[in-house]
Amino acid sequence: MINQRIALVVVLACLLHLPYLAFCKEKDDAKKKEPQVEIKCMVPENKIADVSKKLTIDATHPTETRVVCFYDTPSKMLFEHTPKVILRSRYATDGTKPDTTVKIRGAKLKGAEVECESDQVIGRPRAESCSLTDKKQPVDEIMKANAGTDVKKIFNDDQEDFVKEANVKVDWEKLVPFGPVEGVKVWKNVSAEGLKKVTVERWELPERDGKPRRVLFEVSTKALVSEESEVTAALSKALDITGTEEQEQETKTKVVLDHFAGNQS
């Protein structure tokens, strides 16, 4: 008799708990469907050393070291277009993990392999970005493109169609490399108070044509759109950024394009 009463209590408890479980599941499902925003901060060169110590990253042991290159017309027609078109290749310095990406910034596009999210550089308006990546390009073909040969070859038909969907006309034969930037260091899953999965990138742009050597140091993390304000505040606090005047105002891509502009024959 006692066992039956216990069983009855357990059944009643489960029945009472079911609505709560259903609510939790609906809440979790909603979070999975909610769009994400990537929040970024470009740290000024005079603050890089302090921020590196604050984030306790090991300068000599990054998660990955990459070679990265952008492509555009000599006049940067694609980047100056609305929406912006960003063409990029990268691979690890050990010759692994090659990929090429077409990113459309400022437009919402759809597709089976298309990934969309918002880009939020602290202190700047949020921008919608959608991208399509090809991870099957051989490293030797990317290296040729980085040297200015057959740039079109490293972007596949789906990526070309993706650009057309954004109503952007690209003369693929006129594309030239802006770079490559070698030795790009990336640290992933960096610990920072109040944040999850922080990524740090350090780019060293060489001195060239009267332009001084530059170091770009970008710290980023991803969050649900509904948590953007909270995560932005946490990132600003972790980096000790109290105002927009304490960070670089240009995006990393623009800085790299401007640095290598004029390097095309």
Side-chain angles (χ1 to χ4, degrees):
M1 186 67 178
I2 294 177
N3 289 339
Q4 289 178 339
R5 288 179 178 176
I6 293 174
L8 181 60
V9 169
V10 170
V11 170
L12 288 173
C14 289
L15 289 173
L16 291 172
H17 199 53
L18 281 175
Y20 174 76
L21 291 175
F23 170 76
C24 289
K25 185 178 185 303
E26 287 178 6
K27 190 175 180 181
D28 288 342
D29 289 344
K31 281 195 170 185
K32 288 178 183 178
K33 294 179 182 178
E34 185 179 346
Q36 285 192 324
V37 55
E38 184 172 18
I39 303 166
K40 307 174 182 179
C41 178
M42 280 272 287
V43 178
E45 289 193 47
N46 63 353
K47 289 182 173 287
I48 290 176
D50 291 339
V51 171
S52 296
K53 290 179 182 177
K54 205 170 174 57
L55 296 176
T56 63
I57 63 173
D58 185 346
T60 59
H61 293 89
T63 307
E64 192 173 279
T65 305
R66 298 170 175 164
V67 177
V68 185
C69 193
F70 295 98
Y71 311 92
D72 207 321
T73 65
S75 63
K76 297 181 289 184
M77 184 273 288
L78 299 180
F79 189 77
E80 299 297 339
H81 191 277
T82 302
K84 294 183 185 297
V85 178
I86 299 169
L87 306 179
R88 184 198 68 204
S89 73
R90 61 186 180 184
Y91 59 88
T93 51
D94 62 3
T96 63
K97 300 180 181 178
D99 66 44
T100 62
T101 295
V102 175
K103 176 181 279 192
I104 309 296
R105 182 176 291 162
K108 181 75 171 180
L109 301 172
K110 296 180 180 180
E113 303 295 327
V114 174
E115 295 184 359
C116 293
E117 65 182 10
S118 296
D119 288 338
Q120 175 67 69
V121 177
I122 295 178
R124 295 174 64 91
R126 188 202 304 167
E128 187 76 34
S129 292
C130 294
S131 61
L132 185 60
T133 296
D134 178 7
K135 297 182 179 181
K136 297 179 180 179
Q137 291 294 337
V139 171
D140 59 343
E141 293 296 338
I142 293 177
M143 293 175 71
K144 289 178 184 177
N146 290 354
T149 302
D150 293 330
V151 173
K152 180 181 185 297
K153 194 173 180 179
I154 65 172
F155 296 97
N156 64 33
D157 293 342
D158 289 341
Q159 289 172 314
E160 290 189 35
D161 291 341
F162 182 59
V163 175
K164 289 178 183 176
E165 274 193 58
N167 294 317
V168 181
K169 293 182 179 180
V170 178
D171 188 340
W172 295 89
E173 302 297 337
K174 291 185 178 180
L175 295 178
V176 293
F178 285 73
V181 183
E182 300 183 357
V184 176
K185 295 181 179 179
V186 182
W187 293 266
K188 296 181 179 180
N189 298 323
V190 176
S191 298
E193 185 179 352
L195 297 167
K196 299 176 182 178
K197 296 184 178 181
V198 172
T199 297
V200 178
E201 295 185 18
R202 180 187 174 97
W203 297 52
E204 295 187 12
L205 308 183
E207 180 181 355
R208 56 172 304 277
D209 296 342
K211 296 175 183 177
R213 172 183 175 273
R214 289 198 63 176
V215 178
L216 309 182
F217 196 86
E218 182 186 78
V219 183
S220 65
T221 188
K222 293 185 178 183
L224 298 174
V225 170
S226 61
E227 299 172 351
E228 179 183 348
S229 297
E230 178 184 343
V231 175
T232 299
L235 182 60
S236 298
K237 181 179 179 181
L239 303 180
D240 197 22
I241 299 293
T242 57
T244 56
E245 72 281 356
E246 295 186 34
Q247 64 166 316
E248 296 285 354
Q249 289 301 293
E250 299 294 353
T251 64
K252 176 182 62 189
T253 303
K254 185 178 189 305
V255 172
V256 174
L257 290 174
D258 287 346
H259 189 81
F260 285 97
N263 197 37
Q264 300 76 23
S265 56

